[in-house]
Amino acid sequence: MDNVQKTGIGDVCPSKKDKLELSEVRERLSEARGPQYWRTLDELAQTPEFAEMLHREFPKHASEWTDKSSRRDFMKIMGASMALAGLSACTKQPLEPIVPYVKQPNNQLLGKPLFYATAMPLGVYGTGLLVESHEGRPTKIEGNPQHPSSLGGTDVFNQASVLTMYDPDRSQVNTYLGETRSWPEVLSSLRGSIEAEKAKQGVGLRVLSGATSSPSFVAQMQQLLKTYPQVKWYQWEAVNRDNVYAGAELAFGQPLETTYDFSKAKVVLSLDADFLSSGFPGFHKYTREFSRRRRPELKEEMLRFYAVESAPTNTAAKADHRLHLKASEVEAFARALASALGVAQVGGEFKEDQKKFASALVKDLQANRGTALVLAGDAQTPATHALAHAINGALGAAGKTVSYSEPVDPFAATSKVEQLRQLTAEMNSGKVDMLVVLNTNPVYDAPADIDFLSALNKVGLRIHLGLYQDETAKYCHWHLSGTHYLEQWGDTRSFDGTVSFIQPLISPLYSGHSESELIEFLTNEDEATSYALTQRYWQSQHSGADFKSWWDRSLHDGFVAGSASPAKPVTASAKTALPAITAAASGLEIIFRRDATIFDGRFANNGWLQETPKPMNQVCWDNPVLMSVATAKRLNLKSEDEVELELNGRKVKAALWLTPGHPDDAITVTLGYGREKAGRVGSGIGFSAYKLRASNALWNAGGVRVRATGEHYGLASPQGHQMMEGRAIVRAATLEEFIKTPGFAHEMVEAPPPGLTMYQPYEYKEHKWGMAIDLNSCVGCKTCTVACQAENNIAVVGKDQVKRGRHMNWLRIDNYHEGSPENPNTYFQPVPCMQCENAPCEVVCPVTATVHSSEGLNDMVYNRCVGTRYCSNNCPYKVRRFNFLLFSDFDTPQLKFQRNPEVSVRSRGVMEKCTYCIQRITHARIDAEEENRKVRDGEVMTACQQACPAEAIVFGDLNDSGSRVSKLKASQRNYGLLEELNTRPRTTYLAAVRNPNPELES
Amino acid sequence: MTESVLHGVVAEFITPDELVSACKKAYAAGYRRMDAYTPFPLEEVADAIGFEKTRVPLLTLAGGILGGLSGFFLQYWVHTSAYPVNVGGRPLNSWPSFVIITFEMTILFAGIAAVVGMLTLNGLPQPYHPIFNHPRFTAASRDRFFLCIEAADPKFDLEQTTHFLEATDAVDVAEVTD
Amino acid sequence: MAQIFHRSANSIAKASILGGVILVVGLLWAALQLQRSPYFTYAGVARPQPVPFPHQHHVAGLGIDCRYCHTSVEVSGYAGVPPTKTCMNCHSQIWTAAPMLEPVRESYRSGRSLSWTRANDLPDFAYFDHSIHVNKGVGCNVCHGRVDKMNLMYNQASLQMEWCLNCHREPAKNLRPHYVKQDPKDPATMGDQIFNMAYEEPSTSHPVTIKEGDRYKTFTSQTGPEGLGTYLVKVNNVRSPRDITNCNTCHR
Amino acid sequence: MEQAPETKASATLERLLPGQAPVLTPGHTLETITDKIVSIVLRRPVTLGWLGGFAFFFGLLNLMLFAMAYLFYRGVGIWGINIPVGWGFAIVNFVWWVGIGHAGTLISAILLLLKQGWRNSINRFAEAMTLFAVACAGVFPLIHTGRPWLAYWLFPYPNTMGVWPQFRSPLLWDVFAVSTYATISALFWFVGLIPDLATFRDTATNPVAKTIYGLLAMGWRGSARHWKRYESAYILLAGLATPLVLSVHTVVSFDFAISILPGWHTTVFPPYFVAGAIYSGFAMVLVLAIPIRRFYGVQDMMTLRHLDNAAKVMLGTGLIVAYGYTMEAFYAYYSGNAYELFMFKNRLLGPMAWSYWCLILFNILIPQVLWIRKVRLNPAMLFVTSLVILLGMWLERFVIVVTSLHRDFLPSSWGMYVATRWDYAVFAGTLGLFFSAMFLFVRLMPMITIFEMRLLLPQAKLSEEVAAHD
């Protein structure tokens, strides 16, 4: 209930009688105590007034976000703004305190950030990271270049995770039936029940956790199982890889981890696999290798990519040829393909409209034995996976582009759904009298046909440990506030099995405790810290004199060298009996997918991720129902219609969004929305697709009914229009054309020659910063956008403000569709400030707030800006962002800690924009000058560049002919956006080149 | 009111014609320190009493020149020496962009010079003036015309001057004291 | 017609108009002065401190080097305010009972930091870096004044943008060498001149000799082609005024 | 309201010599003119009609103050503006009001130089109108900024930052142009008032009024020497105001013409902005003159001749504006520039086409009725036409500002613009400010120039022999 109390304070909303005031809620609750507390809340929660109050009180739409400011009193706002205005705004600076350490930590050099290696677990898989820390505050996540799972790249979840750690809505106390309990109290009250369980060998004790690959934790659990022989440990992940392992089971008789090597691949076929989307295990490495193999400079060696996809993904957008199928039709296609390749006669015929595509594909695959690669998506049927393995085997991919190893998930053998089903059954049968739920939220994300909640309520003692007082916590007696990975010790394994260490950047912000600490207490009733536990385990693994040095090195590197799981020389048995093909869904098919920005809902309360537009449809702050234009026409629906989805009697309401390239007679919904207790940011937005999701059809199901309710349901999208209107914005060609005329990009538009000026052009003697963005490499994953937000303290504005066209992202990624709405080519174009040499924005600023630096940067001086917005009007790229209201949060202390101290926090009424991360440039320059040298190439990396897993963004000094950026700009593909306006942009693009199969081009 | 000093003799007329001819006579008669009062501007009257030229235009010109120069050089100085900085790749001395403000400053200064000049030369504001002591002077701002020969005039002599004015078409001749 | 106004009205009217003009101009002028006055800038105004720390005594009296307390001034943007530990290094030995020092001991015991009041406080949107200034040869007292003569700390300069610009436009005026030829008789030439409060810029009466490679070079003027400042701008690669008056030099 | 007897008279006269309705109905003397005008202020009691009207507009004025208070409290985000449409109602209103502010000085200055005697009866309140319109316009550049409390940074003054305004920015040109224009117009208006204030001083009976008018008149006594300097200063001001009035809207048009935005970057803007300004200015003059002459029964001084002339001016400037629109269209086509072409297509057929077509209807089609003499001589119809034109001119600015912005170069950043209730509140508020000021003005100041009206009388002329003498 923190939320209610917190937002309630100093709230000034017009008290109409029909409105339910927070004060009342608190009143009604205050009388209630213990269990009754919850019931009261539940009753309340039923009433429409409560819903209305949530709408009003919780920053779900921007009105609430901005109303935050209306809660502050007038002078305070002026104060904040004035402070930015500084002395010359006739304001006197207040006396500021300065508070030194008592004893200064000796590794700490004040004013200089430190970097620590750690790893972020997402379900089973971990990603190796470096985290920037200012005076003990983690502020920014970077990839770990040494780490095989990162190679220096990151994804949206990595970048945004730092905000989750500081989230003021995280649970800050342990509660018993809603009443606060200190940790010692928790332990002492639990002792009794633990003793009791010990006595009966834990026959009534069950543990439910998320999937994990942490060696130390697994060991700990085994310890627990020893202490309580009867105890059972279940795991649940809503976005799981059950099918992947089941597929391996079919093909090899054992669950295996499949890893791919794109660096050796020439022809790639994806059977509904979105390996270029954040959240796919190995995303960082695959994206890196894929984009390297897609350089058109490779000429004929350039990789060709075929995609068979159901739900539109940015992965398939990068494909040279796409086949849009219902999710349920992919298996049939795979079977037909296997037959066509003579791999296995498993039935299945290509449909008429697939034949052309298929025959070309088959030829291509056969022509590239050993360099071909077939991937099956996590959401595809086990059979599809088995077939993919078989085909890879037959094409000699195994050992070359594909390799197999022990599953990273130690519990791959039994599917997660099965585990949840068993637990539920046990709970219903009353076997369970003590349940420990660790960092998982089944009450919210369990399949609709598994009634987890009612089963849960049958358990005598329910203990929940997690970051939030979430839906599950709500129904547990105990909630123990957990720790974020940046607050705890531990370990995890990445997609290739490499063991990575999780080391804390900060001691638990809300004095939470890790899973391992709780389990340790259950096992031995001792209170060892996660540090002791992790070290104890590894000592046992790596006993010996050199442990200390080994440990220090591993912590420093962030991973255990050479711990990747060894490849298993297995071959797929072609004659495996595949299960009978599941008949293609009848009627309208519904496709369930993880959400591109909030995954399975665990990031629902992360404002950065909520405001990041979904890569393909550019919608944020919601999960619309995606549908093809043709189908919508047939059902005569249009975008932003509110529709009611009905599947097996279960109903939800949602907004419709028409999506080019969506298969007909199908709709796509993403998981993770419709949270009730996510927090002020994430509660009550979108709808929960879990309400429709059945355990036997996790990823797609037939026979969904779509009915327009007649209401309008507005969606927020920072990019209203996704067509190029025949303008040469993204310039693209086929490989053939590129080889014929490498300079095609320049022939599309005539740009004025550099000499064409009456004036003496400025020369930039010292440095001349510039950026080149390779449109061929960019996969549109949006990581750069979030990285920029984290690095530059960019405010979150909320859905309503985004709808009004006031989103603040300095770096946006534009999508453009080209061609038919059935099967368009989609291009991604990251658009930061172009840093024009003839900047149109500068000339029109009346107060010299935006001017050029001697290094050619278009400086924006926030504290000089009076906010005429003229510069934005005159910016042809519309990359400038304006603080229409007080968007930055100057009040919440946690959010202040998160901020990058090297970047001003912008107040109301000032313009802001991409600065090429001037703070990074300045620091590099100062370091260089102190060493009496020039800034080296690669020494300055912009946040977007550093975050990009695809190496699409390169920044550097144009005066240094040797720099990477100079080389790229020398490329024939290099062109300036709207260069015909003679703005002379410093940011330029390398034109996109597709590599289509000539057979299919006609 | 302190003991009264004679300010002059005032003659009142009904038509401008009468006033003008009276003025001409008086000027011919050698009177110089005199003034005529009319409810609307009449070029000829001023000429008749020998007041041909005004220095208002000169002042205005001066104001204009001052304004123009200061206007331009302020901009020039700001952008070339006060804080020279590259704005959108334009030259530091972008004189074409400076034209507008130069022009505006010219007009502004000239206009102010004209008005302030006119008022000061006219010795305004001057809410108190002996002529107001004339009992019927309110008519001067309505429909009557007045000629006042001041006592300060060397040729002034109460007797003669009064007679002289009575000899004109004046409907009334009266002394005005200060 | 009777007079509406008394004689005096004439002079009053004229006077009041003139007065009005003078008043307006005067107010504007006053406003501009006020902006630069200590009332706004705190220049020369000592701050209340939990412990009345006398720089004069510690610097001039005891000859403690700036860097003993402000440890990171040469390597970090932030000069560093000493942790309580630093105070206690000495004050656990001397003045151990001084009531004046109780807050320091208290802080050391309880582990709660002392809360000083900033003396040199820049607005939050101005990013100043100590290390680069020190490395390029800007002496402490160029900005901070004769700290060795200050009892309670105060900022000597206005710390306003125009003040910063003055130096950034003519860096030569304020640069000094790190090491000069040592003259045992003249303590002012001992040690690193950056931290030498008593440093005098070269003049014909007081030439400054610095080491260049293995030979010595003597200067008798600060600015001008033969000046020490001009020389240091060259050897320290101080960027051109145009470069260091970029907005992004201080604002991000 | 009292019935005006002269209307019949002038109507008959109209029949006798068509097109030659007199500027001043015969039968007036120095006496009657003075009395008639003076009595409106000094003798006429405050009527309910006046109170009602004033109360209404004063209410609107307070609405504006409220809206502005909330604006300063929350920020410009309470308006409909966004990225890409960074400018909305505020700038539209600004340009509209500045435009209206043109007629006054134009009438008093240019027509004075052109020796248009008929201007004498309307120039005074036209100038007042100018002042108030410019005041309304002046509100917007200030409040539309994100941080209005720092707007003074637009003026060059020796500040502690050592930073100066950026004189290449058209916005700064605006600041200078508009403030100069305001100052000069105010001077012009006040100088014109001095002799009439003297008349008021001498006619008023109430001592307080006497004193106040006396102070304002600064002791004017109609001395021949004073008149001479006065006349020369007045003519000089007119001479200065003439290029100024033409420059102001030229400069305003630069806000757009200097930018690179399709639909803004247009060389035809200066002339057609000026024409448009005069167009709307005269429309506003008529909107004010027609009721005033009716309610205050001054049809004998503001005769049908005035209305006729004003209508002709509108017709003329209206045609220039029409030409401007045509040229915009032509150059969009002739430039062959894809962005320009699209911009214009978007105006005609885009989501905001309604504004363009209304604009054409209100500004081009409907005003053509002014060709008909009957309409020009029919106050009621003129009044309506003028209102339509005012609306049309507002839409013109809306089309230029909003439709050009909402779809520019990169389709990815196209957006829409929807005004919020706060946009409307501020706009309505400025109307309140404007009309409240007008209401006060007609009650407190001579709304017709007395001394210049006197000049229109035959008895004000010198007879040949006296004039010719020596």
Side-chain angles (χ1 to χ4, degrees), chain C:
Chain C
M1 152 188 187
Q3 293 283 356
I4 309 171
F5 300 94
H6 184 261
R7 246 193 203 77
S8 56
N10 289 350
S11 25
I12 295 174
K14 294 193 175 74
S16 55
I17 290 179
L18 193 64
V21 174
I22 292 171
L23 184 71
V24 171
V25 175
L27 283 177
L28 290 175
W29 178 84
L32 291 181
Q33 291 317 303
L34 192 63
Q35 285 281 296
R36 295 167 168 84
S37 73
Y39 173 74
F40 272 112
T41 66
Y42 296 106
V45 181
R47 306 288 197 286
Q49 301 291 6
V51 178
F53 177 84
H55 270 89
Q56 182 181 28
H57 171 66
H58 290 81
V59 180
L62 306 171
I64 299 175
D65 186 285
C66 310
R67 287 161 291 184
Y68 179 76
C69 299
H70 307 291
T71 47
S72 49
V73 71
E74 287 168 298
V75 285
S76 162
Y78 178 61
V81 170
T84 314
K85 173 89 174 51
T86 313
C87 312
M88 291 307 284
N89 289 347
C90 302
H91 288 295
S92 53
Q93 317 297 325
I94 54 173
W95 297 104
T96 47
M100 187 196 284
L101 294 177
E102 183 46 28
V104 181
R105 293 191 291 269
E106 163 56 23
S107 149
Y108 198 61
R109 277 196 302 275
S110 65
R112 267 192 305 280
S113 298
L114 284 161
S115 175
W116 304 92
T117 311
R118 263 186 190 283
N120 289 275
D121 187 11
L122 287 174
D124 301 353
F125 48 73
Y127 289 82
F128 176 84
D129 188 299
H130 275 94
S131 64
I132 191 65
H133 288 84
V134 169
N135 278 275
K136 295 289 179 187
V138 182
C140 299
N141 58 314
V142 170
C143 305
H144 292 290
R146 290 300 297 267
V147 174
D148 60 336
K149 289 198 167 67
M150 297 178 187
N151 206 339
L152 278 182
M153 190 60 184
Y154 56 82
N155 57 319
Q156 164 227 16
S158 74
L159 300 182
Q160 284 169 330
M161 183 168 168
E162 59 184 357
W163 170 80
C164 301
L165 284 170
N166 288 339
C167 184
H168 274 230
R169 285 184 174 135
E170 290 163 303
K173 274 193 177 163
N174 294 299
L175 296 188
R176 58 176 73 167
H178 276 271
Y179 293 101
V180 301
K181 186 174 187 183
Q182 307 266 315
D183 168 5
K185 288 189 294 319
D186 175 2
T189 65
M190 309 294 285
D192 189 334
Q193 297 308 301
I194 303 299
F195 304 94
N196 174 1
M197 288 287 148
Y199 172 84
E200 282 179 58
E201 67 179 36
S203 60
T204 40
S205 59
H206 172 273
V208 171
T209 309
I210 69 169
K211 205 159 189 304
E212 185 194 43
D214 45 7
R215 27 184 221 84
Y216 289 103
K217 204 170 186 314
T218 304
F219 293 88
T220 56
S221 69
Q222 176 70 12
T223 47
E226 285 309 300
L228 172 60
T230 326
Y231 169 81
L232 288 172
V233 166
K234 206 173 333 75
V235 295
N236 294 353
N237 303 321
V238 176
R239 298 190 297 150
S240 74
R242 186 64 71 82
D243 288 325
I244 57 179
T245 52
N246 283 336
C247 301
N248 70 34
T249 310
C250 309
H251 301 299
R252 306 167 190 164

Side-chain angles (χ1 to χ4, degrees), chain D residues 107 118-127 285 289 302 306:
Chain D
I107 292 170
W118 60 278
R119 82 183 248 295
N120 292 8
S121 58
I122 53 171
N123 69 332
R124 171 63 48 72
F125 82 87
E127 286 165 32
V285 169
M302 297 181 202
H306 293 97

Side-chain angles (χ1 to χ4, degrees), chain A residues 184-204:
Chain A
E185 285 169 354
V186 174
L187 301 185
S188 53
S189 1
L190 287 182
R191 266 206 179 76
S193 2
I194 293 174
E195 297 299 343
E197 281 302 331
K198 272 233 181 71
K200 23 183 196 133
Q201 302 199 319
V203 66

Side-chain angles (χ1 to χ4, degrees), chain A residues 446-510:
Chain A
D449 59 336
I450 298 179
D451 187 354
F452 184 84
L453 180 53
S454 64
L456 180 68
N457 284 329
K458 295 200 178 72
V459 179
L461 178 59
R462 314 184 292 258
I463 304 163
H464 171 269
L465 177 137
L467 287 184
Y468 293 90
Q469 284 265 15
D470 57 20
E471 292 82 350
T472 307
K474 173 176 165 187
Y475 294 99
C476 291
H477 303 92
W478 285 95
H479 165 75
L480 312 181
S481 118
T483 48
H484 188 265
Y485 78 93
L486 290 170
E487 299 173 327
Q488 74 182 40
W489 284 91
D491 46 27
T492 178
R493 299 176 65 201
S494 53
F495 75 103
D496 67 347
T498 308
V499 173
S500 324
F501 284 109
I502 301 174
Q503 65 172 320
L505 268 290
I506 186 172
S507 62
L509 205 55
Y510 305 123

